[in-house]
Amino acid sequence: MANQKMIYFVSLSSNVPYVLREALKMKEENNEVSLFFDLDGARVLDKRYLKSMERTHNMDLASLFNKAADAGIPLYGCQMNVLIAGGLELIDGAELAGVATFLDQAYKADAVLTY
C-alpha cells in the first residue's frame, strides 16, 4: 500500500497511542499521512494534558509525537473544539485547523480512518 494518502481522524484520546504507531508505520512505507484530532482526541495535543498522561498512565506520548513530527506527519487540532474549556496549549509540531482543511485533505485521500 505504498504511496497512498492516509488521513487519520482521532476523536478519542485513548486511541492516540495506537493511531500514532500506525501512522508512523504507514509513513515508513512511503505513504502520505495526516492526523486530525477532534473532541476528546484533541486533548492529547495540549501540553498540560500530555504531562498528565505521562504522570498518571506512564505513557510517553511525547516521544511518539516527536517521532511523528520528525517523520513530517502533520498534526491538526480542531480550532472549534468545545470540550477543552481553556483552549489548547498546543504541543510543538501541532497546529489548529478547521473543517475546510480537513475536507480539502480528505477529498484527496485514498483512505480516511476514524478512531
Side-chain angles (χ1 to χ4, degrees):
M1 238 176 35
N3 300 318
Q4 302 272 321
K5 181 173 176 129
M6 313 293 288
I7 306 291
Y8 291 87
F9 187 85
V10 186
S11 59
L12 289 174
S13 61
S14 59
N15 291 332
V16 170
Y18 169 78
V19 173
L20 284 170
R21 287 185 194 102
E22 182 66 23
L24 285 164
K25 178 182 168 190
M26 295 304 287
K27 186 69 174 179
E28 287 174 6
E29 296 174 3
N30 290 327
N31 293 293
E32 186 179 338
V33 177
S34 296
L35 298 172
F36 286 83
F37 299 84
D38 192 16
L39 303 170
D40 178 61
R43 292 175 191 260
V44 298
L45 296 179
D46 189 298
K47 291 177 182 178
R48 299 162 294 192
Y49 183 78
L50 198 57
K51 288 177 186 175
S52 168
M53 287 294 290
E54 290 172 357
R55 284 193 307 270
T56 60
H57 292 83
N58 196 27
M59 187 180 302
D60 190 7
L61 282 179
S63 175
L64 286 172
F65 278 121
N66 287 335
K67 288 178 184 178
D70 290 346
I73 298 174
L75 307 170
Y76 300 102
C78 179
Q79 68 185 15
M80 296 296 288
N81 196 318
V82 296
L83 292 181
I84 302 172
L88 289 172
E89 188 178 320
L90 291 174
I91 62 172
D92 293 336
E95 63 182 277
L96 294 178
V99 173
T101 302
F102 171 74
L103 290 176
D104 181 54
Q105 290 194 28
Y107 289 140
K108 297 173 188 171
D110 295 298
V112 177
L113 307 164
T114 305
Y115 294 88

